[in-house]
Amino acid sequence: MLRLNIRQTWPMLRITTHLGRLETHSTPAVLSSENRQARSNAGWTQPKIDIDAYESEKAYGHLNPADFAAKYGQQGFSDLQQATRSATGRAWNNIDNAARPGTDLIQQFYEGKVMKTASEAKNRHIVAELIPPPKITVTPGHVMGEPDLGDLTQHAQSDPFATSHFTPGQVDAYLQQKGNVRQWVTEDHYDIYA
């Protein structure tokens, strides 16, 4: 006897869902700063001492070139003229009288010079004068400069909006297995494994 075998396969749908996703990220603030270090900017001048001892030195006979020229310049010319006249006079006296018998002009000249020096030594006297003290000028040192207090400035840069990204949801559906009906005939038995 013939047997009708039927094998039926149901259709199978596969559905995959992905949920929608909203991602937001805040942008962190960016901090920066400007820093200028404080400085004292202070310095000081050296103290200064000026000593003018010229008046004291002048009392001892030390003269600067200008005073020396003023004091002894004219005297030098007059001394030169006097020495020239004296030497010229002695020379003419020696020319006229040195050769005469019984005259000893050279001895008389030096004797007169010695006597003059001796008489000047007797008439010498010492004058005591007050020596002026040196002039001392002191300029004290002082602090100069203005301090700089420095500056520290902070800057914060932030974005007012957050960064967002939306991934939309998705549904994927597809046929995993088709529906099918198979029929065949066997004799005297059912084919249950076909």
Side-chain angles (χ1 to χ4, degrees):
M1 175 165 150
L2 295 175
R3 309 265 192 225
L4 178 63
N5 296 298
I6 299 173
R7 180 161 179 112
Q8 182 178 1
T9 304
W10 295 102
M12 291 178 64
L13 288 176
R14 182 162 181 116
I15 300 174
T16 305
T17 60
H18 298 283
L19 298 177
R21 198 162 84 183
L22 176 63
E23 298 175 82
T24 58
H25 302 286
S26 62
T27 306
V30 177
L31 297 177
S32 62
S33 63
E34 295 175 10
N35 185 10
R36 189 177 79 248
Q37 293 293 326
R39 296 180 183 275
S40 68
N41 288 335
W44 58 90
T45 60
Q46 293 289 334
K48 184 179 177 185
I49 300 175
D50 291 321
I51 301 174
D52 183 9
Y54 179 63
E55 293 300 322
S56 301
E57 294 170 355
K58 192 174 179 181
Y60 286 106
H62 174 73
L63 299 174
N64 64 19
D67 287 346
F68 185 85
K71 183 175 180 180
Y72 295 110
Q74 201 58 32
Q75 182 182 343
F77 287 118
S78 63
D79 287 349
L80 180 62
Q81 290 173 354
Q82 183 182 355
T84 304
R85 278 195 304 266
S86 174
T88 304
R90 278 196 320 274
W92 281 111
N93 191 19
N94 286 338
I95 291 170
D96 292 338
N97 299 320
R100 292 188 181 168
T103 59
D104 195 1
L105 291 179
I106 295 175
Q107 182 180 351
Q108 288 173 3
F109 170 73
Y110 283 108
E111 281 178 3
K113 199 168 185 183
V114 169
M115 293 304 286
K116 182 180 176 188
T117 304
S119 68
E120 285 177 358
K122 281 183 190 179
N123 296 331
R124 282 195 182 176
H125 58 279
I126 297 174
V127 178
E129 292 182 1
L130 179 65
I131 297 174
K135 294 177 185 174
I136 300 174
T137 306
V138 177
T139 305
H142 63 279
V143 177
M144 53 188 291
E146 291 293 325
D148 181 5
L149 301 179
D151 182 35
L152 178 60
T153 305
Q154 296 282 347
H155 299 288
Q157 183 179 358
S158 61
D159 194 353
F161 302 103
T163 304
S164 62
H165 178 69
F166 176 68
T167 305
Q170 185 178 1
V171 176
D172 293 331
Y174 59 92
L175 185 63
Q176 185 175 5
Q177 178 179 321
K178 291 182 180 181
N180 190 12
V181 176
R182 282 181 58 206
Q183 296 177 357
W184 68 95
V185 177
T186 56
E187 197 169 328
D188 293 331
H189 69 280
Y190 287 105
D191 186 2
I192 60 173
Y193 296 107

